[in-house]
Amino acid sequence: MPAKLPTCELPDVQANHPEIPINLTRVGVTNVKKLVEVAREKKRPIILISKFDIFVDLPSSRKGANLSRNSEVINEVLEEALSSPVYEIEDLCEAVATKLLERHEYASRAEVRMVSEYNVKRTSPDTHTECQEMVEIFAEAVAMRSPEERTIKMVGAEVVGMTACPCAQGIMKEKAIHELRALDIPEDKIEKFLERMPMPTHNQRGRGRISIQVHNNEKVSLNKIIHIIEDSMSSRVYEILKRDDEAVVVYEAHKNPKFVEDCVRTMAQRVLEEFPNLSDDAVVSLVQINEESIHNHNAFAERVATIGELRDELSWRRG
């Protein structure tokens, strides 16, 4: 039988002074996977497989942030936060960030980020075939120890859609007019034909992303954010399409051509429409990335602004 080691108090090496006394903005762990159960009124809860990034700041007087036991602390904090029903993922992140400050007495700031895949049910536009789509949802919270500073929360989503290029479509329209005139088609019939049948153009798979900063008790519906992103592109995309559905999707997309810039501007307008009660100082980030089909590069557009700034630009009255 091996000899039993004498009991002694183990040193807390992390509490020592570092050789280079510099403050660190973030120290923590990333890619912590957890099951999150999101409650819904009168519906079954949604189960999310989520990844968390969890950080605290570190003062220059401390060598480390107790990372050797941090996983245990984080698991305990997450389990405590998940023991009661969760309705908003940004509120969960806030609860975790607040508890982290309680456990890391040397920290003045705690930050929690959460990313999940969210299952959305879809019905194809013509045959009404049911399918499922996965979109990325995310939330973030930053808790400060200073009583003068409030907790900052953010929630958002990234969704894939389709865009049709207006520029190439305009070129193809002029070419069609030239060819139809060469066939002696009357001008009035050319006009009617072009009204009813959109011209071909190249398409892009677009990725729209919206994140909204929320304060106090402000609530932002993730489903509304997802719909705003989808409706800001030329067309939605579907996992399952029959031939009739495919014809509808292609036709509607070409009837609604959009540049990458158009998508971001549409998102901005729709955010103001759908969330009229957001405070003027709430910050919104709007991003569209189009993966070009006839170029090797992607097209990108972004707007970061407060809700008040967008209201002023669009002369929008707060709800």
Side-chain angles (χ1 to χ4, degrees), residues 154-172:
M154 180 274 293
V155 64
E158 180 174 304
V159 184
V160 174
M162 171 185 175
T163 58
C165 177
C167 182
Q169 190 177 62
I171 294 170
M172 295 303 296

Side-chain angles (χ1 to χ4, degrees), residues 94-106:
E94 179 186 26
V96 175
T98 301
K99 289 181 182 292
L100 280 171
L101 278 184
E102 295 174 2
R103 301 303 178 89
H104 295 273
E105 71 284 350
Y106 47 81

